[in-house]
Every structure is written in structure tokens, then in C-alpha cells.
Amino acid sequence: MQALNFPIYEFRFKSNENKSYIFDVIRKKFVVLTPEEWVRQHVIHFLLEEKKYPKSLMNVERRIQVNHLIKRYDIVLYRSDGSIFLVVECKAPHVEITQEVFDQIARYNMTLKAENLMITNGLKHIFYQINGEKKAYIFLKELPDFYL
């Protein structure tokens, strides 16, 4: 797999029937290793190890309903009160981060109502915060520290 713009992490891998799998510490199972999953696993380890976000408040690949359609978000980090601190949208490294990707996470966030958003293809990371009063996005240099 391609080197990404993250620290180097140790992962568990396995192969079965000509497919490669990577262990997801949040879902507690091996999942098929695709380029997007490679990015998602790096983000999970980044959030846990670098940002010290709690594993117990993180969800990965869950269904949500957006405009009467069933979608799946990549990563959500909750607060202990159930509010959402962060939504992350992961793309494969070859996928450019375009307006379409911003629109996708914005649609998800209409349902999720997170304070912070992150978009990454593993090479480029974009962080921003929602300013509810001004109904605007504030771009950030890095993710804020987590607080309950």
C-alpha cells in the first residue's frame, strides 16, 4: 500500500482467498484492505495515538439516513453526552478532494450536526469547524483537542 501523510503505525494483516485484510481496532474485526480502508485505518490510529481521542467514543462505518437515502459515514467521534465532536470523510489516495467531497460531508453533517469535520485522502488533510451562529465553516490548521 501507498505511503500516506501520517506517522507510521503498526497494523495487523491477514490474507484469505487472495484478499488482504487489516484489523480495525474500533470494529474489532478484520476488514478488506482497500485503498480507502488504508486511509481510514491511518486516521483511526492518528485520532487515537496522536490526538488521544477516546476509543470508546469512536464509531466507524455506520449507517445514517440522509435525505431519505441510507449512507455510511467513515468515522464519528462522540462526546459522552451523545453530541458529535467530529465527523471524518476518508477517500482513497488517488481521489482528489473536490467540492463534491465537501458537499458529501456537509450533507452527512446536516443529519449528524458535528462541531468539527475532517476530510482526507491520506495525502491531504482538511480540518474545519462549524460556526453555528454565522452558519459558516472555519478552516483549521489542525484538529482541536478533544474535551467531553
Side-chain angles (χ1 to χ4, degrees):
M1 282 283 157
Q2 180 175 353
L4 301 177
N5 187 14
F6 285 104
I8 295 171
Y9 300 111
E10 287 191 30
F11 296 104
R12 289 173 45 202
F13 299 97
K14 76 175 188 177
S15 294
N16 190 6
E17 298 178 11
N18 295 327
K19 285 188 181 177
S20 295
Y21 295 83
I22 188 168
F23 189 77
D24 183 314
V25 297
I26 302 299
R27 291 180 275 183
K28 297 182 176 134
K29 66 180 185 178
F30 281 93
V31 293
V32 175
L33 181 57
T34 63
E36 182 176 322
E37 191 63 48
W38 182 239
V39 172
R40 187 169 23 254
Q41 291 306 313
H42 276 80
V43 173
I44 289 168
H45 284 264
F46 171 76
L47 296 175
L48 294 173
E49 296 177 32
E50 311 309 320
K51 297 305 292 180
K52 307 297 185 204
Y53 293 171
K55 184 190 291 189
S56 62
L57 297 177
M58 197 178 298
N59 265 329
V60 176
E61 283 268 296
R62 293 281 176 101
R63 290 179 169 197
I64 58 168
Q65 186 170 338
V66 179
N67 296 329
H68 307 291
L69 299 171
I70 301 298
K71 301 289 185 179
R72 293 179 84 76
Y73 60 71
D74 285 306
I75 302 168
V76 165
L77 182 70
Y78 291 91
R79 286 212 168 83
S80 56
D81 68 2
S83 64
I84 298 177
F85 178 75
L86 174 69
V87 175
V88 182
E89 179 59 32
C90 300
K91 296 296 183 189
H94 68 274
V95 176
E96 285 188 51
I97 297 176
T98 63
Q99 185 63 48
E100 190 175 312
V101 178
F102 279 96
D103 293 346
Q104 177 185 1
I105 199 169
R107 281 191 303 276
Y108 290 3
N109 205 44
M110 288 171 58
T111 299
L112 297 170
K113 301 186 181 346
E115 292 176 37
N116 301 283
L117 303 173
M118 174 182 177
I119 298 172
T120 183
N121 63 5
L123 305 173
K124 182 177 181 182
H125 318 304
I126 300 171
F127 313 112
Y128 52 109
Q129 204 164 50
I130 310 300
N131 182 325
E133 293 174 13
K134 296 182 180 178
K135 297 184 180 177
Y137 298 120
I138 302 166
F139 286 87
L140 306 170
K141 290 183 181 180
E142 62 182 53
L143 282 174
D145 291 335
F146 180 78
Y147 57 93
L148 293 174

